[in-house]
Amino acid sequence: MATPDCILLTGAAGYIASHTWLALQDAGYTVVGVDSFVNSSPVVLDRLREIGGQPIHFVQGDVRDPAVLDRCFELGQTVGGIKAVVHFAALKAVGESVERPLDYFENNLGSLLAVSQAMQRHGVFDLVFSSSATVYGEPERLPITEDAPLRATNPYGQTKLVGEELLRSLVACDARWHVACLRYFNPVGAHPSGRIGEDPRGIPNNLMPYVAQVAVGKRPHLNVFGNDYDTPDGTGVRDYIHVCDLAEGHVAAVRYLGEQQRSVTVNLGTGQGYSVVQLAQAYGRAAGREIPLVFAPRRTGDVAACYADPALAQRLLGWSARRGLDDMCVDSWRWQSTNPGGFEG
Ligand code: NAD
Ligand code: WQD
């Protein structure tokens, strides 16, 4: 039997990468992971071993350090050699990025450059980059297609926009490179085992982790940021996507790069928008308890509605989301209710 292809995941202990780790293993790949744990817990690795039933190949360190990346490629040599890299490692809090823009530029762009340089040193040119729907800023048209105008409205978004632009330039200059830029919409939910999920530090910035903490009794109510938007119920509308669907999108992208040897930029969303109130109600059903709502002013920088046209990912990658809002809530609740203190609780 041929040795399975080996994929390097940066930011491997993080929320989306940990789910992608399992999806890649399920699809027959071997995974090498690297993470500094700046925003994650080493306990994730125990859970991955437990769920996946396979050995964990992992390097702890900051991917801005070339020596750390060289160790990853050396470790990869022991399991068949790294064929592609999925670069997740980044800081991702929009508000924090406004307070500490230089830290975001340094970490997110520094890590992208270091990873690309290490790939070139080791003769690996297939790269999947975690981009974001944030590159669309305030959308002019819905659903959003990949050819929509791009603009950043905060330093975090700027790092994704510049990251994509650097990679497009690299591809244009050097035909060896094949890059998939995946623009995620709003990843939520958790692995159906309930053993891994999103574990934000401090007060959650994002809607579903906040709602989960209300459901588990950690917070008294959800503050709904704005109920006077031009949307059916006045609250913000987003394209929530189950993290396991997103993970499978990465498997499809890795496969596409290997087979087609072409670059691609696609939305990873469901194409379906739900409002804040709809999500809170669905979560209430999943958890068997009502989520108390308090209407609050709009949050600065928020858009009224944002959802994907996912047709290009379907056409090019053969991928589309399979899980609905109720699955997202049920799986999130299983994770939240059985791990109320997160990984280290
Ligand atoms: P996360 O914080 O859970 O995962 C990121 C991981 O990267 C963490 O484990 C962190 O410790 C690690 N990391 C950060 N900088 C590092 C460095 N320099 N060296 C080594 N490790 C480092 O976040 P996530 O939600 O899983 O996001 C993964 C990627 O997806 C990020 O690039 C993020 O910008 C992007 N993204 C996330 C969302 C979202 O809503 N979660 C949406 C769009 C895009
Ligand atoms: C969703 C909706 C809020 C919290 C962010 C980043 C984006 C991307 C994904 C990385 C909005 C409302 C929220 C709360 C609320 N990340 N809300 N009460 O803002 O669409 O996207 O995460 O790339 O870049 O900006 O997601 O989950 O924060 O908000 O009413 O306590 O929920 O106003 O309408 P957002 P979100």
Side-chain angles (χ1 to χ4, degrees):
M1 216 175 80
T3 318
D5 282 350
C6 176
I7 311 298
L8 173 63
L9 305 187
T10 73
Y15 171 49
I16 302 169
S18 56
H19 290 79
T20 303
W21 189 315
L22 295 174
L24 283 164
Q25 283 185 351
D26 284 348
Y29 292 92
T30 302
V31 175
V32 169
V34 56
D35 204 300
S36 63
F37 301 123
V38 64
N39 194 41
S40 53
S41 159
V43 175
V44 172
L45 303 177
D46 300 330
R47 302 284 175 94
L48 290 174
R49 196 178 292 110
E50 171 196 314
I51 308 166
Q54 295 190 31
I56 295 296
H57 310 290
F58 183 78
V59 173
Q60 180 177 347
D62 193 308
V63 295
R64 287 170 294 172
D65 179 350
V68 166
L69 288 168
D70 287 341
R71 285 216 300 283
C72 295
F73 282 92
E74 282 155 24
L75 180 58
Q77 282 306 325
T78 67
V79 285
I82 288 166
K83 301 289 188 305
V85 178
V86 188
H87 178 50
F88 292 100
L91 301 174
K92 63 160 182 177
V94 170
E96 186 183 65
S97 83
V98 177
E99 285 157 26
R100 296 168 31 208
L102 289 173
D103 291 348
Y104 273 67
F105 300 151
E106 156 71 15
N107 190 69
N108 294 4
L109 295 173
S111 67
L112 177 61
L113 289 178
V115 166
S116 309
Q117 284 166 331
M119 289 174 68
Q120 183 160 287
R121 268 199 309 284
H122 293 273
V124 175
F125 297 97
D126 285 1
L127 172 64
V128 179
F129 176 59
S130 292
S131 188
S132 167
T134 194
V135 298
Y136 297 118
E138 171 116 42
E140 280 168 15
R141 262 189 237 116
L142 292 167
I144 304 174
T145 49
E146 288 81 356
D147 57 1
L150 304 180
R151 59 178 83 89
T153 54
N154 55 70
Y156 166 73
Q158 194 80 42
T159 67
K160 294 298 176 189
L161 201 52
V162 172
E164 280 199 11
E165 278 165 4
L166 289 177
L167 292 171
R168 277 192 280 275
S169 176
L170 184 59
V171 165
C173 296
D174 184 342
R176 291 173 300 174
W177 282 92
H178 303 110
V179 175
C181 290
L182 304 183
R183 295 177 178 158
Y184 315 155
F185 279 68
N186 289 59
V188 296
H191 191 267
S193 64
R195 299 295 285 159
I196 58 169
E198 190 168 12
D199 182 18
R201 294 184 174 164
I203 302 171
N205 297 310
N206 297 115
L207 179 61
M208 192 175 284
Y210 199 102
V211 171
Q213 294 196 0
V214 174
V216 84
K218 268 196 191 173
R219 306 194 185 275
H221 59 259
L222 171 70
N223 294 304
V224 179
F225 298 144
N227 61 350
D228 56 352
Y229 284 110
D230 183 15
T231 61
D233 65 17
T235 67
V237 167
R238 296 291 184 274
D239 187 338
Y240 298 98
I241 173 167
H242 196 297
V243 66
C244 293
D245 277 327
L246 196 61
E248 290 167 7
H250 291 75
V251 177
V254 164
R255 202 172 275 143
Y256 179 89
L257 294 179
E259 289 174 3
Q260 304 292 322
Q261 293 288 292
R262 295 170 72 113
S263 294
V264 65
T265 297
V266 288
N267 292 335
L268 295 186
T270 66
Q272 169 75 53
Y274 288 103
S275 74
V276 175
V277 168
Q278 284 176 313
L279 183 140
Q281 286 172 344
Y283 209 99
R285 285 195 299 278
R289 57 196 74 177
E290 201 175 320
I291 306 298
L293 305 181
V294 171
F295 292 105
R298 291 182 179 192
R299 186 172 64 178
T300 311
D302 274 355
V303 301
C306 172
Y307 50 92
D309 180 337
L312 191 64
Q314 162 76 58
R315 187 155 61 79
L316 296 181
L317 307 184
W319 169 92
S320 58
R322 301 186 283 133
R323 298 158 177 92
L325 183 63
D326 289 333
D327 302 309
M328 302 178 208
C329 294
V330 165
D331 289 337
S332 163
W333 176 240
R334 190 181 298 108
W335 153 252
Q336 182 68 51
S337 55
T338 53
N339 300 268
F343 286 108
E344 319 229 319

